[in-house]
Amino acid sequence: MAKKEASSQFICLANFINELDASKKQLALLFKKGPKTTSKEVASRNLWPYFHQLMEKWEIFIKDLLKESVEIVFNELLASSTSKQTNKLTPHLQEVVAHSLLHHSSKDDKKAAFEMSSYLLPDPDLWRDSFDSYKRYLLAKCDEIVPVFDGANGIDETFKEIFESTGTAFSLSSSMIPIKASYLYSKDQHPKGTDLTLSSVEGLSTILHLYYGIHCVVTKKSSDYFSKIDCNLFQNPQKCYFQELFGENPGDFLEYFYRCVVNHPDDPYLYMKQCESLKHFLWTLTHSLCDAVSSFMMNHFYIT
């Protein structure tokens, strides 16, 4: 199965695309009369709900993607336990069983848990309950995620924690670089665009912090958001920093967007092209993430 075909099988991706189409139609109805009949200030206020919807859909998507990944991998591992033939997943299954025993033990003795798992592995009835309970624990961890890549509860660390029991330290963000999305940077009526190329994990993490951080600031979603995440983004970055990471035009307009929110957090200005650029970015990001997870499953678990 090709990588694109594999990624298209994720239910969460299909749901995200459908939600994106629905929100786009709602936005079109909102501005059906045309921009000339609406002042820039009113248009900006009308656009913010759309911006927040995009970020909320992204947050739901990343939680669903991790949960779906857990379900796929654990179901495959469980199926391998009944195989009469030598199975490539057996070492991974033993790792997970050992971690599930350790998770339910009061002692932090990894060696003892691994030795015990080797005795229990031939009889699934002896470890199935702890296996299922451990899976439920990991699914619950997915709901605690902050949908940015870095930080203790970020995407990378959560993904590593979920699958560390299978003997991997895979980094999702590193595997996705480079990423290229469309970016519209003109504020006038005639759209101008360029490629937004993210060639480093720092650039990818920063732009996601920017968008999700702005969402949190404007909605006042979480006053302690930046205390939970090791983020320097909202500590007076210079325009050259944005230009270096995102290119001259995207960098200038992302920095402008950032200043609007920092200087006027209760009523920041937002224009259509920033929303369109966010939509293009999330579209590209979700597909790239699904491709990365598909490759991980194929290369690490031989799951197609």
Side-chain angles (χ1 to χ4, degrees), residues 2-273:
K3 188 168 70 170
K4 292 294 182 183
E5 292 174 342
S7 66
S8 67
Q9 300 302 311
F10 283 103
I11 296 172
C12 59
L13 181 59
N15 291 340
F16 180 82
I17 292 172
N18 290 335
E19 291 288 333
L20 212 62
D21 289 341
S23 62
K24 186 177 179 181
K25 291 176 182 177
Q26 292 174 356
L27 184 68
L29 289 173
L30 184 64
F31 287 89
K32 191 165 80 171
K33 295 180 181 180
K36 291 184 179 180
T37 62
T38 307
S39 69
K40 289 184 177 181
E41 290 74 17
V42 172
S44 174
R45 294 189 188 105
N46 289 339
L47 281 171
W48 274 112
Y50 176 63
F51 181 93
H52 297 316
Q53 281 182 16
L54 291 177
M55 295 313 303
E56 288 162 1
K57 293 179 193 308
W58 156 254
E59 189 168 1
I60 292 170
F61 164 81
I62 193 61
K63 291 178 181 180
D64 287 348
L65 174 61
L66 294 186
K67 288 180 181 179
E68 194 170 345
S69 302
V70 170
E71 292 284 5
I72 291 171
V73 170
F74 272 64
N75 287 344
E76 289 287 336
L77 290 175
L78 193 60
S80 72
S81 68
T82 60
S83 175
K84 301 298 183 182
Q85 301 175 346
T86 301
N87 197 298
K88 293 181 179 180
L89 288 178
T90 300
H92 296 309
L93 175 62
Q94 185 173 356
E95 289 275 4
V96 172
V97 171
H99 272 73
S100 69
L101 295 174
L102 193 63
H103 178 70
H104 294 88
S105 173
S106 59
K107 298 180 180 179
D108 187 19
D109 191 339
K110 295 181 181 179
K111 182 179 179 180
F114 195 86
E115 290 176 351
M116 179 63 71
S117 68
S118 65
Y119 293 113
L120 300 181
L121 202 62
D123 190 350
D125 289 340
L126 298 177
W127 51 260
R128 177 66 187 269
D129 287 345
S130 63
F131 179 91
D132 289 342
S133 177
Y134 183 55
K135 185 180 80 169
R136 290 193 295 272
Y137 162 76
L138 294 179
L139 290 173
K141 288 291 294 182
C142 297
D143 283 326
E144 298 174 7
I145 196 169
V146 178
V148 294
F149 282 104
D150 50 344
N153 291 328
I155 297 168
D156 275 338
E157 288 304 313
T158 302
F159 191 84
K160 288 177 183 177
E161 183 177 352
I162 287 172
F163 290 110
E164 69 173 353
S165 59
T166 65
T168 185
F170 182 76
S171 170
L172 276 177
S173 59
S174 297
S175 69
M176 295 165 58
I177 298 300
I179 289 181
K180 183 179 288 186
S182 299
Y183 190 84
L184 302 175
Y185 62 87
S186 174
K187 288 182 287 183
D188 58 30
Q189 197 170 4
H190 304 288
K192 295 180 182 179
T194 187
D195 287 332
L196 172 64
T197 301
L198 303 170
S199 55
S200 68
V201 171
E202 181 184 7
L204 176 59
S205 295
T206 298
I207 192 169
L208 189 54
H209 262 305
L210 175 69
Y211 283 133
Y212 188 71
I214 284 174
H215 166 64
C216 290
V217 169
V218 177
T219 60
K220 297 178 174 57
K221 179 177 180 178
S222 175
S223 59
D224 60 351
Y225 165 71
F226 294 105
S227 66
K228 290 181 179 178
I229 299 294
D230 182 16
C231 176
N232 295 319
L233 178 62
F234 277 70
Q235 296 179 9
N236 197 31
Q238 302 299 312
K239 182 181 288 188
C240 60
Y241 175 74
F242 282 85
Q243 290 178 338
E244 180 182 350
L245 288 178
F246 309 125
E248 183 176 354
N249 284 321
D252 284 351
F253 278 79
L254 284 167
E255 195 268 348
Y256 167 78
F257 187 22
Y258 162 81
R259 294 295 171 193
C260 285
V261 174
V262 170
N263 295 332
H264 307 283
D266 293 325
D267 190 22
Y269 184 68
L270 176 65
Y271 55 96
M272 177 70 81
K273 292 183 181 65

